[in-house]
């Protein structure tokens, strides 16, 4: 039996399955630190107009997250060329991509060039969320 | 059922009048809840079960690849090669070229075959004010100390924000969609802002009928299109899919960083 749970309207809390609860102390929720500086939930407006040489990885934005472990990250991207197409990272354009990642120190937004040089000349809006939850095996 | 319940705002927001997405939780809708946290390594390109959940429904999931020492989403994880059914999360051979593939992920208490729609109480943000002090709600996981400074020890914590589920659209794609003539799965959320989402597609021709995460940005199909009134998965062919729309907005006030690179 859970120590604390609140059910959705009209649902008997004693019989509620996890989805029918608002909060259940037996099931954690992914959590984003609201007090973090720089913010762990934010929007990066990224204009890419340099030339990225074939085969290179270039970190174009780095954010120190402050955890002593690798946290989970979500990055959702939209661009100015696709009429409101958007999606989770990586952003893929032909053989090139833009990724978001974390290690035990930072969050990175990285341009990954493909087999040819790339001059994107594009604006990407990247909405990111760094969770307090593990993004890799907790060792 | 009478008009009663509980709601808690995120830190710095007045709970009276706060927009839905400024709440920590509300009894009007569920938080995204973790059923299982998984670590698995795929050592070779062989179809294999990654995790047996036995939930009786295909659950939402999100995976990260940390094979290179960095935790990140990638296309091998997010296209047709890993999917869930009612009992398991499975890898299908042919999706990845480099092994071992080391995966960390979460299985959520969210049935990809059940529709759901939360009410919209308020979309008008009251914005954060100066933190009024050390108050709020903390609920620990079993066996953890409530005085812990590690957010991972808590199920809910007022110093944090958790994704809140606004809508689940689970259906066969149809061709009657706004601005798109092909097959699509549509959420007419009318939230007034672009919301975050999860999207999954189940198509025997693509992924053996397992629900695969299809969220990554691509200019090929399937892909996601959205604006302030609707979000849709645009499909290559008729397929079953599930679109999970969160109350959390894509745009958070002004950009936290503007980069020219």
């Amino acid at each position: 039996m859970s120590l604390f749970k609140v059910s959705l309207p009209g649902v008997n809390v004693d019989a509620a399955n996890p989805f029918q609860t608002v909060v259940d102390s037996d099931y954690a929720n992914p959590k984003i630190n609201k007090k973090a500086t720089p913010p762990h939930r934010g929007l990066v407006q990224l204009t890419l107009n340099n030339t990225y040489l074939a085969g290179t990885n270039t970190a174009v934005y780095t954010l120190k997250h402050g955890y002593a472990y690798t946290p989970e990250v979500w990055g959702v991207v939209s661009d100015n060329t696709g009429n409101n197409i958007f999606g989770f990272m990586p952003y893929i354009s032909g053989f090139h991509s833009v990724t978001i990642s974390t290690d035990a120190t930072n969050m990175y937004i990285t341009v990954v060039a493909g087999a040819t040089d790339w001059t994107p000349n594009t604006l990407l809006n990247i909405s990111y969320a760094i969770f307090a939850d593990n993004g890799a095996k907790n060792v | 059922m009478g008009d009663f319940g509980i709601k808690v705002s995120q830190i710095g927001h007045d709970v009276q009048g706060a927009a839905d997405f400024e709440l920590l939780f509300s009894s009007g809708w569920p938080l995204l809840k973790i059923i299982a946290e998984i670590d698995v390594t795929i050592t070779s390109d062989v179809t294999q079960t990654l995790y047996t959940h036995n939930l009786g429904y295909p659950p939402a999931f999100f995976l990260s690849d940390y094979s290179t020492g960095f935790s990140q989403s990638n296309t091998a994880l997010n296209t047709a090669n890993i999917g869930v059914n009612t009992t398991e999360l499975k890898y299908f051979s042919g999706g990845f070229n480099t092994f071992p593939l080391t995966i960390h992920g979460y299985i959520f208490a969210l049935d990809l075959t059940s529709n759901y729609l939360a009410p919209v109480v308020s979309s008008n943000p009251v914005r954060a004010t100066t933190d009024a002090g050390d108050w709020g709600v903390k609920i620990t996981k079993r066996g953890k100390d409530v005085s812990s400074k590690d957010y991972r020890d808590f199920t809910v914590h007022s110093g944090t924000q958790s994704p809140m589920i606004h809508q689940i659209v689970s259906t066969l794609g149809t061709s009657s969609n706004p601005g798109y003539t092909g097959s699509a799965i549509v959420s007419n959320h009318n939230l007034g802002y672009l919301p975050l989402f999860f999207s999954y597609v189940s198509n025997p021709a693509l992924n053996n009928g397992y629900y695969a995460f299809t969220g990554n940005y691509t200019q090929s199909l399937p892909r996601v299109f959205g604006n302030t009134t609707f979000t849709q998965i645009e499909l290559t062919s008729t397929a079953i899919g599930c679109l999970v729309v969160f109350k959390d907005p894509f745009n958070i006030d002004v950009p936290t960083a503007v980069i020219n690179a």
Side-chain angles (χ1 to χ4, degrees):
Chain A
M1 178 180 289
S2 299
L3 299 175
F4 179 87
K5 66 177 177 179
V6 177
S7 63
L8 290 171
V11 177
N12 180 348
V13 73
D14 290 328
N17 66 43
F19 182 77
Q20 293 171 316
T21 62
V22 174
V23 174
D24 186 326
S25 56
D26 275 350
Y27 300 97
N29 313 288
K31 288 174 291 296
I32 304 162
N33 182 359
K34 289 286 289 183
K35 292 181 170 181
T37 304
H40 282 190
R41 177 83 173 88
L43 185 72
V44 175
Q45 202 172 75
L46 179 63
T47 301
L48 295 175
N49 48 25
N50 288 345
T51 295
Y52 298 92
L53 300 178
T56 60
N57 291 1
T58 307
V60 294
Y61 182 65
T62 300
L63 183 154
K64 187 174 176 62
H65 54 64
Y67 293 120
Y69 54 89
T70 301
E72 178 81 6
V73 64
W74 292 3
V76 180
V77 60
S78 70
D79 72 9
N80 62 346
T81 61
N83 298 317
N84 288 337
I85 300 168
F86 66 122
F88 268 77
M89 307 285 269
Y91 165 89
I92 302 165
S93 176
F95 293 104
H96 315 284
S97 63
V98 179
T99 66
I100 194 164
S101 61
T102 53
D103 62 13
T105 307
N106 295 317
M107 178 192 85
Y108 307 91
I109 296 174
T110 304
V111 175
V112 181
T116 58
D117 295 351
W118 187 37
T119 307
N121 192 24
T122 191
L123 169 66
L124 303 178
N125 286 306
I126 297 170
S127 184
Y128 69 86
I130 302 169
F131 290 88
D133 308 86
N134 299 314
K137 189 172 185 177
N138 190 26
V139 293
Chain B
M1 170 92 30
D3 183 17
F4 61 87
I6 181 172
K7 65 178 178 179
V8 177
S9 61
Q10 292 171 24
I11 200 160
H13 297 272
D14 186 344
V15 74
Q16 297 288 348
D20 296 353
F21 60 82
E22 293 174 327
L23 298 176
L24 175 62
F25 65 83
S26 163
S27 50
W29 48 81
L31 292 171
L32 183 66
K33 284 182 279 299
I34 298 168
I35 289 282
E37 181 175 356
I38 61 173
D39 286 288
V40 62
T41 300
I42 303 172
T43 57
S44 63
D45 191 21
V46 176
T47 296
Q48 57 199 275
T49 298
L50 302 180
Y51 181 75
T52 302
H53 58 75
N54 281 329
L55 288 168
Y57 60 82
F61 64 96
F62 186 81
L63 304 177
S64 300
D65 171 14
Y66 68 103
S67 305
T68 63
F70 298 92
S71 177
Q72 60 188 327
S73 177
N74 74 26
T75 52
L77 303 178
N78 293 348
T79 51
N81 305 102
I82 295 180
V84 289
N85 68 0
T86 57
T87 60
E88 63 179 356
L89 176 73
K90 194 167 188 173
Y91 172 79
F92 295 94
S93 64
F96 206 72
N97 297 321
T98 305
F99 296 92
L101 176 62
T102 310
I103 296 170
H104 183 84
Y106 296 91
I107 307 287
F108 299 110
L110 190 159
D111 181 355
L112 296 176
T113 63
S114 292
N115 291 291
Y116 172 77
L117 179 61
V120 176
V121 177
S122 173
S123 296
N124 300 315
V126 294
R127 305 298 181 195
T129 56
T130 302
D131 182 5
D134 185 15
W135 48 266
V137 174
K138 296 194 286 188
I139 302 171
T140 59
K141 295 177 180 174
R142 286 179 187 267
K144 299 296 184 181
D145 188 332
V146 75
S147 64
S148 170
K149 301 299 183 187
D150 188 337
Y151 288 133
R152 294 175 297 179
D153 290 342
F154 296 87
T155 55
V156 170
H157 192 299
S158 283
T160 69
Q161 167 191 0
S162 296
M164 293 178 283
I165 298 165
H166 176 67
Q167 188 173 19
I168 304 169
V169 180
S170 179
T171 186
L172 180 70
T174 66
S175 57
S176 300
N177 308 294
Y180 183 66
T181 56
S183 182
I185 294 163
V186 185
S187 158
N188 293 298
H189 54 73
N190 284 313
L191 286 170
Y193 54 83
L194 193 64
L196 294 182
F197 67 93
F198 281 165
S199 63
Y200 302 84
V201 171
S202 173
N203 184 342
L206 288 176
N207 45 35
N208 304 281
Y210 282 59
Y211 282 82
F213 194 94
T214 58
N216 57 282
Y217 181 104
T218 174
Q219 300 207 15
S220 59
L221 300 174
R223 66 184 183 188
V224 177
F225 175 99
N227 61 22
T228 58
T229 60
F230 72 90
T231 302
Q232 65 186 23
I233 311 172
E234 299 177 347
L235 301 164
T236 51
S237 60
T238 300
I240 295 170
C242 183
L243 187 55
V244 180
V245 174
F246 296 104
K247 285 187 176 286
D248 309 80
F250 175 90
N251 295 309
I252 301 296
D253 296 326
V254 297
T256 46
V258 178
I259 307 295
N260 282 285

